[in-house]
Amino acid sequence: MANPIVHIANLNLQYAGTTVLCDLNWRIYPGEHWIIGGKSGSGKSSLAKAMVKQEKASGEIIFRFDQSNPMLAQAYYVANWYQFANLEGDRNFYYQQRYNKQQRNDTLTVYADLIHFGKKQQLDFRDAEPILEALGFGNCRETQLIELSSGEHKKLQLVQALWLRPQLLILDEPYTGLDKRSRENFNSLLDDMANAGTTLVLISNDRNIPDAINRFAHIENGQLHAVSHLDEIKQDEQRQRKPFPYFLQQAPLVDHDTMVELRNVSVRYGEKEVLKNISWQVKAGEKWLLQGPNGSGKSTLLSLLNGDHPQAYATDIFLFGKKRGSGESIWDIKQKIGIISPELHWYFDKNATVWHAIASGFYDSVGWFIQVKYEEKKQIEQLLDFFDLLQDKDKLLHTLPLGKQRLALLARTIIKNPQLLILDEPCQGLDRSQTAHFNAVLDELSGYGKTLIYVGHYESQLPACLDNRLVLEKGEVVISERREKNSIAG
């Protein structure tokens, strides 16, 4: 038998005092391409980071690269989040900063970032061109890094990885935020790389994977267990349903029968028109699905509704029956909206505990800075119990498994029982069981008079309550329809 490309023996890793990997052994042989799935918090990302020395672990990790292989003799890891810096090397950004014209110019453009990466790795930019086009990312070259949506940030990570062409490519949640077409093209590019000599390791619970994947495993009790099929990878157990907290069983106090109305709204950044003559009306109690490929303008549209985008005051937007800029403050608007998005998750205060993260929903901050009232404390405790987070309430949010982080942020979103819920890709990175639980909560919640705008790419992962759909493409509305209930989710 040929020598393994990767040899891992007796790997041990602890995180925050908890054993994550325990005497883990794993060998990857030529021709093998792995997907590592499994339960949230089982150690998948920790294993990937330990392999490239981004997590401190004990044990033996040996790479045996083939010097005759035309691919780069290197292990390259693509993290779940893209960590970028401004021109001075600072990584500390705040949530609304991407809409601040002066501070947007403080980061590199996509093109400049790629040029910098190419020079560092001694790559020819002409080899990146077909990758950019295949992922539908070519029109973002002059976009500032801070302006990119989560899906566009993921594309930048993937362009760099595919351009580098390493012998071992480790991808952590590579499909996060990708639209359907980009995902299909990306899988084709991975198959091409596998045929050319790259060994693939995907950390993912996704079902739509490259044809090249021929090995499957999950991590349990700190050790890696190979299985024979994707369906045998262990998932999180289905959570037991609990009664909704009483305060969420009350319909929100609605002061107008129209939640949102946009009249020929356009947004432009210099010569780039991001939204073009958008007209849309969301009535109280409606549930809308908002879709469109990466870069279609979804994130910009939602930022107008939430009050984060300064151009909201220069456009014809009505929220809760009042025209933006007619005297209401941004906090008046935010008090009536609960929102979750990849960007809010990304920029959330790293010092916030789970309890503080949920409490911050009362005051629309990305941390916790205000003393909550007695009744508010009771509501926080009720949601902690409902989402099975009581044992985690004093832990830092960012140290929890992704699934629990999403549930905590959903609790933050609904803590004030808002008139309008805006959920932007809330199930990114969750497995089938977690997604089903999340959507079941939304379906039940929607029955209590809530108005919902839900952004999601994949019909198989949508809640059943959605009965209307708006689709954007290149900043324009291409579909606006009201459907019979349950006809969108599939």
Side-chain angles (χ1 to χ4, degrees), residues 245-298:
Y246 180 73
F247 76 92
L248 288 176
Q249 296 182 31
Q250 313 304 308
L253 296 174
V254 175
D255 47 22
H256 201 274
D257 61 1
T258 299
M259 299 283 102
V260 173
E261 186 172 1
L262 283 68
R263 301 176 181 172
N264 298 315
V265 169
S266 297
V267 170
R268 180 184 296 275
Y269 299 141
E271 296 300 317
K272 183 178 180 181
E273 195 169 19
V274 181
L275 295 178
K276 305 173 186 177
N277 299 317
I278 303 294
S279 293
W280 185 30
Q281 187 181 73
V282 177
K283 295 181 179 180
E286 289 185 337
K287 284 77 180 173
W288 280 85
L289 172 63
L290 176 60
Q291 290 185 307
N294 300 130
S296 61
K298 301 186 301 295

Side-chain angles (χ1 to χ4, degrees), residues 337-353:
I337 299 175
I339 187 167
I340 182 174
S341 71
E343 289 78 19
L344 181 132
H345 191 174
W346 191 353
Y347 293 108
F348 209 84
D349 184 2
K350 298 298 183 186
N351 296 313
T353 65

Side-chain angles (χ1 to χ4, degrees), residues 361-416:
F362 282 117
Y363 305 101
D364 304 292
S365 64
V366 290
W368 178 69
F369 311 102
I370 301 174
Q371 189 69 31
V372 297
K373 305 180 181 81
Y374 174 74
E375 285 298 323
E376 293 171 341
K377 289 181 180 179
K378 288 176 60 179
Q379 290 179 210
I380 296 169
E381 292 296 319
Q382 289 172 35
L383 283 177
L384 284 167
D385 177 63
F386 177 76
F387 286 116
D388 297 320
L389 292 170
L390 278 172
Q391 71 277 15
D392 301 305
K393 68 178 184 179
D394 295 323
K395 297 177 182 177
L396 293 178
L397 177 69
H398 77 272
T399 66
L400 264 60
L402 180 59
K404 287 190 174 184
Q405 291 185 46
R406 295 287 192 205
L407 290 176
L409 290 177
L410 177 60
R412 175 191 184 273
T413 301
I414 62 179
I415 187 67
K416 60 190 177 186

Side-chain angles (χ1 to χ4, degrees), residues 40 96 126 128 208-209 268 299 320 363 365 391 431 441 470:
S40 182
Q96 293 88 355
R126 289 173 294 184
N208 299 314
I209 57 177
R268 180 184 296 275
S299 296
F320 313 106
Y363 305 101
S365 64
Q391 71 277 15
D431 64 26
V441 170
L470 187 80

Side-chain angles (χ1 to χ4, degrees), residues 238-244 386 437 440-441 444:
Q238 185 67 44
R239 284 184 170 85
Q240 295 297 316
R241 299 292 295 276
K242 296 182 178 182
F244 257 85
F386 177 76
H437 173 67
V441 170
E444 185 173 350

